Amino acid sequence: MRTIFGWPLFLSLAVSIVSTAALAQEAERIPSHCRSLASDAAPERLWRASVGTPVPEDTVRIRFINHAMFAVQAGDVSVVTDYNGYIGDTLWSPDVVTMNQAHSSHYTNNVHGDVAHILEGWGAFGEGAEHDLDLGPMRIRNVPTDIRLGNREGGGREPNGNSIFIFEAGGLCIGHLGHLHHEPTEEQYAAIGRLDVVMAPVDGGYTVPREVMMRIVERFRSSIVIPMHWFSRYGLNDFLSGMEEDFAVVETHGSELLVSLDRLPRQPTIMVLEPAFLSD
């Protein structure tokens, strides 16, 4: 089922479940429920926001910048995913950047000096990386995945050479699949847990084949799916067409969402964000 909503200013994405467990919240962050199921509340509105400005309590801002880069903000903590060094004509910088090494468009060796935490999704060959960073309003952890090696490296695969990063904030569990080269194993699915929101690469070639990504997205059954790493509207539409039987599709016509635990869609919903570099 496909629905299209316009983007008048100050409309909000609303999607509702009530979690009694969330009432017993920690001092600075509601515990996430990565394995919980969404309730049957209906979506209501969409709204626009601006990276760097305050967000409502227990709410997460998600901004699609470009390629696989998103700015994710909760409270006074912000992160940019798969950071490649350029987020736009802006002096703003996040507290944290995550990176993957599959391609140079997903990492950089020149990170802005104001970034306090640089989380690389790889480690020594075959060993991978292990991150579990608790910053109060946001916890960031990773699940290593394998990557394909190029011809110059002799082909084959590097075990644990990239990472899926998970952001727990406002009671939400938000996953960024990065430059994924294979379907997660059962152990990896278990380590990732239940994702309320997932950013999924849908290019169909540079990462995994499109039908494999469809299967992965269906397996997560996230309340909100945000397509990324798409290089043409044709490729994006092919993914949407393959998913619309079981997922609602919303064309937001914007680049940002504000999401909260108590407002998640009744039906799993693909939210199409348009990439937009940041600007002051």
Side-chain angles (χ1 to χ4, degrees):
M1 177 181 64
R2 179 169 298 193
T3 56
I4 300 178
F5 290 76
W7 265 66
L9 288 175
F10 307 113
L11 294 182
S12 60
L13 167 72
V15 248
S16 278
I17 62 175
V18 177
S19 172
T20 55
L23 297 177
Q25 60 181 295
E26 296 174 349
E28 295 189 59
R29 184 182 70 247
I30 297 177
S32 65
H33 301 275
C34 294
R35 293 167 179 81
S36 66
L37 297 177
S39 76
D40 292 333
E44 296 171 7
R45 298 187 298 170
L46 295 168
W47 78 69
R48 295 193 181 197
S50 299
V51 171
T53 59
V55 294
E57 186 177 4
D58 302 328
T59 299
V60 179
R61 170 182 290 125
I62 300 173
R63 164 70 179 263
F64 189 15
I65 299 174
N66 189 50
H67 203 61
M69 287 193 298
F70 289 82
V72 183
Q73 181 182 355
D76 59 355
V77 175
S78 58
V79 58
V80 171
T81 66
D82 277 30
Y83 178 75
N84 64 23
Y86 182 72
I87 59 176
D89 185 16
T90 178
L91 297 177
W92 178 85
S93 62
D95 302 298
V96 185
V97 296
T98 68
M99 296 189 291
N100 275 306
Q101 68 167 341
H103 292 286
S104 59
S105 51
H106 295 255
Y107 74 91
T108 180
N109 294 320
N110 300 300
V111 178
H112 193 284
D114 290 341
V115 176
H117 304 278
I118 302 170
L119 306 184
E120 296 177 340
W122 66 93
F125 188 93
E127 296 182 10
E130 184 176 345
H131 300 292
D132 193 344
L133 179 64
D134 193 334
L135 298 175
M138 185 186 297
R139 176 191 178 195
I140 305 171
R141 58 186 177 89
N142 74 305
V143 175
T145 60
D146 300 349
I147 64 168
R148 297 184 299 268
L149 297 176
N151 293 332
R152 287 187 300 177
E153 293 83 10
R157 178 178 286 199
E158 178 184 348
N160 303 315
N162 271 338
S163 287
I164 292 171
F165 282 92
I166 297 104
F167 310 94
E168 300 180 21
L172 295 162
C173 200
I174 301 168
H176 185 284
L177 300 186
H179 207 283
L180 190 63
H181 285 176
H182 63 89
E183 183 169 4
T185 64
E186 290 301 316
E187 292 77 12
Q188 289 167 334
Y189 273 123
I192 295 165
R194 169 65 164 82
L195 298 178
D196 299 294
V197 181
V198 63
M199 294 90 141
V202 300
D203 57 274
Y206 292 99
T207 55
V208 299
R210 198 164 286 121
E211 63 271 16
V212 175
M213 183 51 62
M214 291 177 184
R215 185 166 68 240
I216 293 169
V217 169
E218 288 170 351
R219 171 71 179 265
F220 281 124
R221 202 68 181 177
S222 301
S223 297
I224 297 174
V225 178
I226 303 175
M228 65 172 184
H229 211 260
W230 46 272
F231 303 104
S232 71
R233 191 71 203 194
Y234 174 84
L236 174 62
N237 286 340
D238 188 48
F239 171 78
L240 298 178
S241 297
M243 300 298 296
E244 63 184 3
E245 182 175 345
D246 297 317
F247 286 71
V249 176
V250 174
E251 299 275 0
T252 69
H253 304 293
S255 60
E256 301 180 351
L257 296 176
L258 291 179
V259 187
S260 61
L261 177 65
D262 63 344
R263 299 182 182 278
L264 288 173
R266 170 194 328 184
Q267 179 184 5
T269 301
I270 299 172
M271 307 293 296
V272 180
L273 298 183
E274 300 295 334
F277 285 112
L278 303 183
S279 174
D280 292 335

